[in-house]
Amino acid sequence: MICQYFFGITNKEMNESKTFKNYINGQWLDASTHDTFEQRNPSRLSEVTGLFPLSSKEDTRLAIEAAQSAFTEWKILSPFARAKYLKKVLALMIERREDIAQIITLENGKIVSDSLGEIDSAIAEMEFQINEGLRLFGETVPVSIDGVFAYTVKEPLGVVSVISPWNFPFNVPVRKIIPALMAGNTCVFKPASLTPQTGYMFTKLFDEGGIPAGVLNMITGLGSVVGNILVTDPRIKAISFTGSTEVGMGIHQKASVNATRTQLELGGKNATVILEDADIDLAVKAVTRAAFACSGQWCTSTSRAIVVKKVAQEFIEKLVKATNAIIVGDGFDQNAGMGPVCGTDQFENIKKYIESGKKEGAILLAGGNEVRNNHLKEGCFIEPTIFVGVKPDMKIAQEEIFGPVLSVITVENFEEAIKVSNDIVFGLSSSIFTNNLKHAMTFVQQTEVGFTHVNLMTSLKEPQLPFGGIKESGVGMPEAGKTGIEFFIKYKTVYMKYS
Ligand code: NAP
Ligand code: MG
């Protein structure tokens, strides 16, 4: 009240300033029903950060229609003209870096330095994918008939949908939407309901950058309503989704009805193997970072450390020490090394997994509690948690927790380490710490994942290399690298008789 009086802002005005809109055909629109949903700061659940359109099926169809109309012009534009638009967006992104980071931290909870890191990674990926879009080369191919010239061209698919998660609410849309647009497609984008304002910030850059109406449309609302139309409407030619394995598998099934192409980046249970000849300090640093950064909510987080018996004690002691040094706090607090988890569902789910670990007989060596310090008890804070003595078949060793919980599994030798690391439904990322070349090469050959690392953390990635999982971690072509844009094109083969 005092605050509102001081700034002369009424409750109504405050709500209006925090009310956001959909972006359809170059216009900012409410949901047709005017219904909204709220987003809350995971560090302080009493704080509503904004109200967002709770869009209907009809609103979603309107966005698809806008993208369909815009496709006619956008697809025949030279890639150099498309790049010109996107470079304007990129320049704005670089300019707004700090502002966008604030919104990521506000909605997701991750510490500001990690939010800035997310934007920097998005900027690097955007630069790379704009340039990839200028290299959509075809082939000329000799044929058996005299006087016939044959070649291939790469063409866009049409309207594509992008459905993104809350853990990288800025980088994931960039990774999907930039190659889609550079290839000549138009797009309807649905951000996760936990991070809609980041989706708005992203879309605003395109609006201010002067992107033609309908080329990019953004619509907020329920996954089961908006998301479902974006998956089942026959005008959608490809779906790029990042999220849970459960939702992703459902999308794969539904998309098959219209033979819609899918790119699904799903869950993970990424392992780091530590052998007896490893640089233990290096391994501890990598595992601590990859297990607890963003509260363990990277899809590439390390959630299993598989360590051989001979060095288990040293590794565990150093790991616990490093973990206990992590300061949990509000992402805006400069001293904090780890923020809250993103929302109450995550909070409750992670606590259930911690209880399950205790019940199954794993030994809790660090953390294990929600944080109850005065000002933090209002948010979704969980201590960085380590279980040791974990058996490979325990729930905490098999299921994706997506939180700051690390399971340490001790094994006899290298062979057992490989077996345990692969004995799981997921296959996103992995890593091994060793100085033995034979073990490193054998691991790389046998690890069942989309990308792996030697003496590096499971989360390391670069824009020019493919990013995606196998098994239940991914379906379709990987994102990023050359495949990032390849997913969004189709081939046309041309035979031309000239004499
Ligand atoms: P999620 O529930 O699967 O949601 C992801 C997105 O899908 C959200 O935008 C969500 O909308 C939407 N959605 C939900 N139900 C849908 C439906 N029936 N049809 C179409 N869309 C639907 O996952 P999440 O909770 O946001 O994210 C956590 C999961 O994502 C974790 O399992 C994590 O491993 C995975 N992830 C994987 C990667 C990777 O690259 N492999 C990267 C990041 C995250 P609402 O928000 O409105 O529900
Ligand atoms: Mg969900």
Side-chain angles (χ1 to χ4, degrees):
M1 271 313 274
I2 292 168
C3 207
Q4 285 170 29
Y5 173 76
F6 186 77
F7 290 111
I9 297 171
T10 64
N11 242 341
K12 184 168 175 284
E13 282 165 344
M14 206 155 190
N15 273 341
E16 276 171 2
S17 71
K18 284 185 164 185
T19 301
F20 295 85
K21 293 178 192 286
N22 288 327
Y23 186 65
I24 299 175
N25 206 21
Q27 290 184 300
W28 295 100
L29 301 174
D30 289 325
S32 49
T33 56
H34 297 278
D35 288 338
T36 57
F37 66 94
E38 56 183 33
Q39 199 282 346
R40 286 172 185 263
N41 178 353
S43 287
R44 205 170 34 250
L45 289 167
S46 56
E47 182 185 349
V48 175
T49 66
L51 298 175
F52 300 85
L54 188 64
S55 309
S56 66
K57 292 179 182 175
E58 276 319 308
D59 298 327
T60 314
R61 291 194 183 105
L62 198 68
I64 296 172
E65 199 177 302
Q68 181 82 59
S69 304
F71 180 59
T72 317
E73 296 278 317
W74 186 250
K75 74 171 176 188
I76 56 170
L77 216 55
S78 145
F80 288 86
R82 288 183 208 132
K84 209 168 164 189
Y85 283 113
L86 295 187
K87 281 177 185 170
K88 274 193 207 157
V89 175
L90 179 61
L92 287 170
M93 192 181 290
I94 294 167
E95 195 183 299
R96 306 269 166 84
R97 179 177 173 272
E98 312 262 326
D99 296 345
I100 301 167
Q102 300 283 312
I103 301 302
I104 296 176
T105 294
L106 183 74
E107 289 194 312
N108 169 284
K110 66 176 79 172
I111 58 174
V112 172
S113 59
D114 282 339
S115 296
L116 287 167
E118 174 172 351
I119 297 164
D120 291 341
S121 161
I123 289 168
E125 293 191 28
M126 182 153 177
E127 277 170 349
F128 181 81
Q129 290 297 338
I130 289 175
N131 289 317
E132 277 301 286
L134 301 177
R135 291 191 284 262
L136 287 173
F137 305 141
E139 285 182 307
T140 61
V141 183
V143 289
S144 62
I145 317 157
D146 288 340
V148 172
F149 174 61
Y151 64 99
T152 60
V153 283
K154 293 178 177 174
E155 294 188 341
L157 304 172
V159 181
V160 302
S161 63
V162 165
I163 302 174
S164 67
W166 44 262
N167 66 338
F168 282 104
F170 195 81
N171 197 358
V172 170
V174 166
R175 187 178 303 149
K176 295 170 183 297
I177 291 170
I178 303 308
L181 299 187
M182 273 309 296
N185 303 282
T186 54
C187 179
V188 182
F189 160 46
K190 188 199 110 55
S193 297
L194 285 171
T195 51
Q197 198 177 153
T198 309
Y200 161 80
M201 294 291 278
F202 170 81
T203 308
K204 199 160 174 278
L205 302 175
F206 288 77
D207 185 38
E208 290 182 28
I211 198 91
V215 169
L216 174 66
N217 306 274
M218 183 205 61
I219 179 157
T220 58
L222 295 173
S224 54
V225 178
V226 173
N228 194 46
I229 296 296
L230 290 180
V231 167
T232 53
D233 191 293
R235 291 169 294 182
I236 298 291
K237 298 303 173 213
I239 304 157
S240 184
F241 165 89
T242 297
S244 60
T245 296
E246 189 191 355
V247 173
M249 292 304 182
I251 288 177
H252 195 52
Q253 269 193 353
K254 288 179 198 162
S256 69
V257 173
N258 297 317
T260 309
R261 198 179 281 195
T262 57
Q263 177 181 57
L264 312 172
E265 299 297 348
L266 311 174
K269 190 76 186 173
N270 311 302
T272 290
V273 169
I274 300 103
L275 297 186
E276 55 267 38
D277 60 352
D279 178 337
I280 299 294
D281 291 331
L282 191 70
V284 166
K285 210 170 154 198
V287 170
T288 314
R289 170 78 181 146
F292 302 119
C294 297
S295 307
Q297 300 169 119
W298 287 342
C299 50
T300 55
S301 291
T302 301
S303 51
R304 296 180 296 152
I306 302 171
V307 56
V308 295
K309 214 170 169 182
K310 216 167 164 187
V311 288
Q313 193 181 343
E314 181 190 355
F315 173 74
I316 290 168
E317 275 173 16
K318 289 180 169 172
L319 183 73
V320 169
K321 195 169 168 226
T323 301
N324 285 336
I326 297 171
I327 298 170
V328 179
D330 188 313
F332 290 108
D333 177 350
Q334 292 209 335
N335 295 319
M338 195 180 100
V341 300
C342 190
T344 46
D345 286 356
Q346 278 288 103
F347 187 59
E348 295 306 327
N349 202 31
I350 295 164
K351 286 194 297 181
K352 271 189 211 149
Y353 274 110
I354 293 174
E355 284 316 306
S356 144
K358 288 189 210 163
K359 244 187 231 149
E360 283 190 288
I363 302 156
L364 188 63
L365 268 201
N369 302 301
E370 57 188 271
V371 181
R372 298 188 198 87
N373 293 353
N374 304 332
H375 65 292
L376 296 186
K377 66 172 182 269
E378 250 215 88
C380 305
F381 295 94
I382 296 182
E383 293 169 344
T385 298
I386 299 175
F387 279 108
V388 299
V390 177
K391 300 285 168 256
D393 59 350
M394 287 181 180
K395 246 172 109 158
I396 55 166
Q398 287 291 326
E399 295 181 16
E400 182 180 51
I401 302 175
F402 220 52
V405 182
L406 176 70
S407 296
V408 181
I409 303 169
T410 304
V411 292
E412 289 295 329
N413 51 35
F414 174 63
E415 287 70 28
E416 192 187 348
I418 290 203
K419 187 178 176 305
V420 169
S421 71
N422 282 338
D423 197 6
I424 194 140
V425 294
F426 297 108
L428 185 58
S429 174
S430 67
S431 80
I432 187 166
F433 282 79
T434 179
N435 284 304
N436 179 317
L437 185 61
K438 189 175 165 205
H439 283 157
M441 293 302 284
T442 308
F443 182 79
V444 167
Q445 190 189 49
Q446 294 190 8
T447 183
E448 296 168 359
V449 294
F451 59 115
T452 191
H453 310 77
V454 177
N455 296 323
L456 293 161
M457 65 174 175
T458 52
S459 314
L460 186 91
K461 63 164 182 54
E462 289 260 325
Q464 59 282 14
L465 287 148
F467 177 92
I470 60 167
K471 294 161 89 175
E472 289 189 18
S473 291
V475 176
M477 238 175 242
E479 299 177 334
K482 288 187 179 303
T483 52
I485 197 157
E486 190 79 14
F487 173 72
F488 291 107
I489 57 118
K490 59 181 190 258
Y491 283 80
K492 183 176 276 172
T493 301
V494 183
Y495 295 89
M496 189 185 285
K497 185 158 173 57
Y498 59 89
S499 75

